[in-house]
Amino acid sequence: MSFNVTPGKLSLNDLSQIYWESHSVTLSPDVKKNVEKAAAFVQDIAKSDTPIYGINTGFGKLSSIRIPAEKTDLIQRNLILSHCCGVGDPLPEKIVFLVMVLKILSLGRGASGVRWKVIEQIEFLLQKRVSPIIPSQGSVGASGDLAPLAHMTAVLIGEGQALYKGQILSGAKVLKKINRKPLVLKAKEGLAMINGTQVSTALALAGLFEGWRSALGSLITGALSTDASMGSTDPFNTEIQNLRGHQGQIEVAKTLQILMEDSKIRESHLDEDIRVQDPYCIRCQPQVNGACIDLLRQAAKTLTIEANAVTDNPLIIHALETKEMEMKIISGGNFHAEPIAFAADQIALALSEIGAISQRRIALLVDPKLNFGLPPFLVSHAGVNSGFMVAEITSAALMSENKHIANPCSTDSTPTSADQEDHVSMATHAARRLLTMNENLSQIIGIELITAAQGIDLRKESLKTLTTSPNLNKVLKKLRSKVSFLKGDRILNQDLQNASTLI
């Protein structure tokens, strides 16, 4: 399936669909006129004697060096080759496709001065499922994601490497296989390709989309844990939440109520609640998970704006000062990725806290002092069997790792490029770490899913009438198709992975 989109108008839902389903994307032909008009303007000024950054000058600290007109194309090619300095594991294919989509969205706004042919080259690679190999490390999120975007652009010009039909091929070979000629970059086009926040934004969006699924999964596992521990639903009372007023808190409480509706376990102790108050990991789910959901939504607003933004430099301004639509070129700093760095840090905080409270519910369920009548570590013949003892330890290890790497990246900076780029955002690794955090979080919540299900099945085993709600029974049925009830000790690592995949 191919999306035909208008730059500047993509919704968060559009971006989510593109990410999850790896749609190819083409731009609306309506924007071609503005794109070509700006490109023609750039080609004209490239011939002038007036020094204009990145068009007839060097780059960064070399911007004082004038470039003769006959070499303006060469410096664009050299710019790409010299900036292919990324290291580390390649970015996942889904994220590379999203990077390419974000780049054509930015170029399609008609402020970058590239020809329509550049956009078509990226569209063609998307259509043919060609994924440039982009090393994951090497950007500080300042003058754009220079190194990673250079690796992407290299394939367009027949350089670098790409993944195509399961094979890693040179840029030249992959273009030959798809019957496409290498692109010859004109004035400013190389600069427009590597200036921009598309890599950090794609990574942050991936972190958001993956994290949102885990956030919703944690509401299901939280409801299961509440029932398994015979916790009270009174703290989820609507009036309590309304008195505070936070949207996420109100919605989480309502969701927990719906998930647990008609639970026989809950009904068995409605008249005389067993504990005066449950531990915070049960009682304060609306307050904690709701705040995390609000934080994710706030980050989502920032990233939706950024996905539709023009973030290279210098920019072609279609001024409205005259009837002739005067055009001018202005240097600025839209490439600085500070908004993405802040959004990534917000997402990291939310992911860390969702995992932290989930882990405490796991710890509660395996502890005979707290789980109200369930066997130690949720297994019969404890001592002979260790049950979920070490699964809880694994969840603690993952939680601790996430807490450590959730520390802010946006507050860090280091001067680069001979002090020309003297304040940087660190947005790219701020966003990249979300991939690890989401993997850890899905494992934590998966472990809670298994332990909560074990607790509920143990309640049912001891007294047949003690069943959970119809909604949660659907979850149990799905889980039990992948992970069986633990009667005695067995190797659990594949069970944990299966539960994480379900999350």
Side-chain angles (χ1 to χ4, degrees), residues 19-36:
Y19 174 71
W20 287 117
E21 299 171 38
S22 292
H23 290 304
S24 64
V25 169
T26 56
L27 298 191
S28 166
D30 295 342
V31 303
K32 183 177 179 179
K33 183 180 177 182
N34 261 0
V35 169
E36 292 285 39

Side-chain angles (χ1 to χ4, degrees), residues 369-382:
K369 300 191 301 294
L370 298 172
N371 65 18
F372 202 76
L374 293 172
F377 303 105
L378 300 172
V379 70
S380 300
H381 309 297

Side-chain angles (χ1 to χ4, degrees), residues 388 445-455 479-480 483 495-496 499:
F388 292 98
I445 299 170
I447 293 170
E448 184 184 6
L449 176 60
I450 293 176
T451 53
Q454 182 81 2
L479 174 67
R480 289 295 176 231
V483 179
D495 290 339
L496 304 188

